[in-house]
Amino acid sequence: MINIKNVTKEYGKMAAIDRFSLKLPEKGIYCLLGRNGAGKTTLLKMLVGHIAATDGDIFIDGKEISPSKMPESVNYIESGSVQFNMRVDELIDTAAKLQDDFDRDFAQEMVERFELSRKKRFKQLSFGMKTMVTSIMSLANNSKVVLLDEPTTGFDAIMRDQFNTLLLESYHANPRLIIVSTHLIDEVAKVTERLIIIDKGKLLIEAGMDDIDEKAYTLSGSLAEVTPLLDNLNCIGKQIAGNVMAAHIYDERIQPPQGVAIGGLSLQDFFINIVGGRKNG
Amino acid sequence: MGKGTATIARLNLKHIKAAYITAIILALVALIQTSIFYIIASSSGSGMDNATVAPGAYVFLVVLMAAMIIPASNFRKVINLGGRRDNFFWGTLMAYVIIAVLGSMINTVMFYTFDLFIQNSGYFGSLGGVMNPVQVFDWTQNGFAIAFLQQAAFLFLLACFVHTLASVQGKWYGWAANVVIAAILAVFIPIAFLRQSLVWFFEMVIFHENAFIQIAFCIVLAIVIYMLNKPIYTRKAI
């Protein structure tokens, strides 16, 4: 479905996306995870043809993507994007008139459910409400590929939970390829099937959530006992306190020897370690 | 042209409020000012040699501002609502045709009613009390309908030209276009034979004695200039 081949996007001398390749062949909810400035928005904008790649090719459903060949099958609305200062119901009506696969009933239903005032103008909404309106408009589009850029920015915990429900309902009503870009890791883990982690414009990992659950773990014990085990394992981070070490692993599970404990690794810790945010030892 | 072209035209016409408000305020000021001058001149009986910009002439300001606001502000918002670049291109062209036709209609009606009333009152000497481009450019010599068409064609050309210039600002070719235009004006005016080409150009777009040639020239040139936007908008980053 999506095929990104060795794509680079440079702004001046800085590469926002650096020789990035990725294939997403199937429908599903994918989480695009990365730190601020990792290149998430740049990648999504290239996928929808809003900006051109400096090098490399992007194909969606076999069709090459560029600003002059914007795909009909991809929908993307940037969160926090500028919108016409219309009433919420007018915005939805206008989006329905502009987009081929827009489900107006779904959008109206979601507006009701999230208690967004239909009569309020866009500029009168709070930041979180604005994001919710744009997220609803994105999910109401039944294109083959839907890209959501930081769709929960400005949401409180309840809104984030409601959004997850909305995302799942939308997906089950019309299964398609949805990419959710975020840096709120554990929230999105509840609904996503696969994880794409990028850092400094490079792809670090693309894997299923089950796979990460299985392969990401922590070995803890004395330095002398844990250190030899790491020779044949992909150690993504270590924490050392005195003579004790906790090594974070992303690899096949092993049967640890006596004296070494094996424990789970939260998605947040996994992310922090894999992007190199925790450097200790 | 695809789904949404008419919607984009409507969006563009609706979301240029700054242009409407500015023009309406200035037109009202002109209307009140001219009316006050008329009352003073008619009551004193002595008259005055005076002329202000005709209220209807501010439709030119609407066209100028619309052609700047639409590319600078509306394009991004249309795309953020899921609109297509191609539809923006055609929808905007449709909006300019509507603005030019309605603007010309308003100003021509204003000229043949309010402006002529003031001028025919005889209180304002040779200056006539009001100045309206429709008269200054001599478009009224063939009557209401032709004046309306000549002005509409010119306004359409003005919209397409300003839109194209506004669309390329911030790019190297935008700066190059600015420099070329400034250079043409600066170099062509002092040199006699080059000045003749400028005179020819303005005669074609404004003053040509044959109204139909002026109308046709404006429309063809407007479309040629507007088509330059096609590659600009297919590549424009958002």
Side-chain angles (χ1 to χ4, degrees):
Chain A
M1 230 171 185
I2 293 180
N3 189 1
I4 304 168
K5 286 182 172 175
N6 209 25
V7 164
T8 296
K9 174 67 188 175
E10 288 171 351
Y11 292 107
K13 286 180 180 172
M14 194 203 78
I17 293 291
D18 191 6
R19 287 162 288 166
F20 191 101
S21 294
L22 178 67
K23 267 188 186 177
L24 303 177
E26 290 171 2
K27 293 171 182 173
I29 302 176
Y30 295 77
C31 173
L32 177 62
L33 204 56
R35 301 177 67 180
N36 289 332
K40 302 188 293 293
T41 299
T42 303
L43 182 65
L44 295 183
K45 283 188 169 185
M46 284 194 291
L47 285 177
V48 78
H50 280 188
I51 53 175
T54 310
D55 197 16
D57 301 302
I58 299 173
F59 297 90
I60 293 181
D61 267 354
K63 289 179 187 163
E64 195 179 358
I65 307 299
S66 72
S68 57
K69 297 170 199 158
M70 271 175 76
E72 300 266 330
S73 55
V74 182
N75 182 264
Y76 167 79
I77 298 180
E78 192 178 354
S79 79
S81 57
V82 284
Q83 297 287 351
F84 287 111
N85 189 25
M86 296 191 228
R87 295 199 317 255
V88 170
D89 53 356
E90 281 181 315
L91 265 179
I92 287 171
D93 281 348
T94 309
K97 285 177 189 161
L98 292 176
Q99 299 174 28
D100 288 329
D101 300 310
F102 195 85
D103 187 342
R104 189 196 303 244
D105 294 338
F106 174 85
Q108 298 287 15
E109 193 191 320
M110 290 303 138
V111 166
E112 290 286 320
R113 190 181 315 165
F114 289 106
E115 296 170 359
L116 296 166
S117 172
R118 287 164 183 270
K119 302 296 170 200
K120 271 195 176 173
R121 288 182 176 273
F122 192 73
K123 280 186 183 167
Q124 294 172 326
L125 300 172
S126 69
F127 182 62
M129 295 289 187
K130 283 178 184 167
T131 311
M132 185 57 90
V133 170
T134 51
S135 296
I136 287 172
M137 287 198 295
S138 292
L139 285 173
N141 186 287
N142 287 327
S143 298
K144 287 181 180 173
V145 178
V146 173
L147 310 174
L148 299 169
D149 187 12
E150 303 280 4
T152 56
T153 306
F155 285 10
D156 57 32
I158 294 168
M159 284 175 85
R160 284 202 294 275
D161 189 60
Q162 286 174 325
F163 173 78
N164 286 344
T165 311
L166 165 69
L167 183 60
L168 280 177
E169 280 181 21
S170 165
Y171 180 73
H172 288 304
N174 179 24
R176 53 213 195 274
L177 197 156
I178 300 176
I179 300 179
V180 185
S181 131
T182 186
H183 54 261
L184 293 170
I185 310 155
D186 288 319
E187 291 286 341
V188 84
K190 296 169 190 166
V191 290
T192 195
E193 293 162 28
R194 294 188 74 80
L195 194 63
I196 304 159
I197 298 180
I198 69 172
D199 191 46
K200 293 173 188 151
K202 289 181 187 287
L203 176 67
L204 290 187
I205 199 165
E206 193 274 309
M209 294 301 289
D210 295 342
D211 195 43
I212 292 168
D213 265 353
E214 171 64 24
K215 287 184 173 173
Y217 59 94
T218 302
L219 294 173
S220 343
S222 68
L223 258 175
E225 285 171 315
V226 175
T227 305
L229 299 174
L230 303 182
D231 290 344
N232 299 316
L233 291 170
N234 177 25
C235 177
I236 56 175
K238 297 175 205 168
Q239 284 172 287
I240 300 167
N243 193 31
V244 179
M245 174 196 268
H248 305 302
I249 310 297
Y250 181 63
D251 210 328
E252 296 301 326
R253 290 230 171 198
I254 59 162
Q255 193 59 47
Q258 197 81 28
V260 176
I262 189 163
L265 186 61
S266 73
L267 196 55
Q268 178 151 314
D269 282 335
F270 171 70
F271 172 69
I272 290 169
N273 281 286
I274 205 130
V275 299
R278 184 174 288 164
K279 290 189 173 82
N280 177 11
Chain B
M1 278 193 261
K3 185 187 176 190
T5 304
T7 305
I8 291 168
R10 214 166 27 246
L11 279 172
N12 279 331
L13 291 172
K14 204 173 163 187
H15 293 276
I16 46 171
K17 287 196 186 87
Y20 296 138
I21 292 169
T22 311
I24 287 171
I25 290 172
L26 291 172
L28 277 175
V29 169
L31 191 70
I32 292 166
Q33 188 184 9
T34 310
S35 302
I36 291 170
F37 286 161
Y38 176 80
I39 292 165
I40 294 169
S42 60
S43 55
S44 69
S46 58
M48 56 173 81
D49 249 359
N50 183 38
T52 53
V53 176
Y58 287 99
V59 297
F60 279 70
L61 186 66
V62 174
V63 172
L64 277 173
M65 287 183 71
M68 288 188 258
I69 294 169
I70 290 171
S73 168
N74 290 7
F75 171 66
R76 196 183 173 95
K77 291 173 184 171
V78 165
I79 299 297
N80 283 340
L81 268 179
R84 301 272 158 205
R85 288 165 192 257
D86 237 26
N87 294 345
F88 177 82
F89 178 82
W90 293 112
T92 300
L93 185 65
M94 201 186 281
Y96 289 143
V97 171
I98 294 167
I99 293 171
V101 167
L102 289 180
S104 179
M105 180 63 77
I106 291 167
N107 192 31
T108 314
V109 168
M110 283 295 288
F111 173 75
Y112 278 99
T113 54
F114 182 78
D115 294 3
L116 281 189
F117 170 75
I118 295 292
Q119 288 178 358
N120 293 338
S121 70
Y123 293 128
F124 295 96
S126 58
L127 293 176
V130 282
M131 287 183 300
N132 195 320
V134 86
Q135 188 179 35
V136 173
F137 296 155
D138 234 5
W139 291 331
T140 52
Q141 58 182 325
N142 296 309
F144 178 92
I146 302 297
F148 157 70
L149 290 174
Q150 283 190 272
Q151 184 176 220
F154 180 76
L155 287 175
F156 179 54
L157 171 62
L158 186 67
C160 291
F161 173 72
V162 176
H163 173 95
T164 306
L165 204 56
S167 298
V168 295
Q169 295 309 307
K171 301 279 181 195
W172 68 265
Y173 41 87
W175 294 112
N178 296 343
V179 170
V180 167
I181 290 167
I184 285 174
L185 292 174
V187 175
F188 278 41
I189 290 172
I191 302 170
F193 77 96
L194 291 176
R195 190 165 59 241
Q196 282 311 305
S197 58
L198 271 185
V199 168
W200 174 84
F201 175 77
F202 284 109
E203 195 176 299
M204 293 303 284
V205 297
I206 298 175
F207 298 109
H208 202 283
E209 59 189 20
N210 185 327
F212 292 101
I213 291 177
Q214 183 260 340
I215 292 167
F217 189 83
C218 280
I219 292 173
V220 170
L221 185 60
I223 290 170
V224 168
I225 290 173
Y226 192 77
M227 285 300 152
L228 297 174
N229 286 284
K230 192 85 176 160
I232 295 167
Y233 278 93
T234 52
R235 287 169 178 81
K236 198 174 172 88
I238 297 161

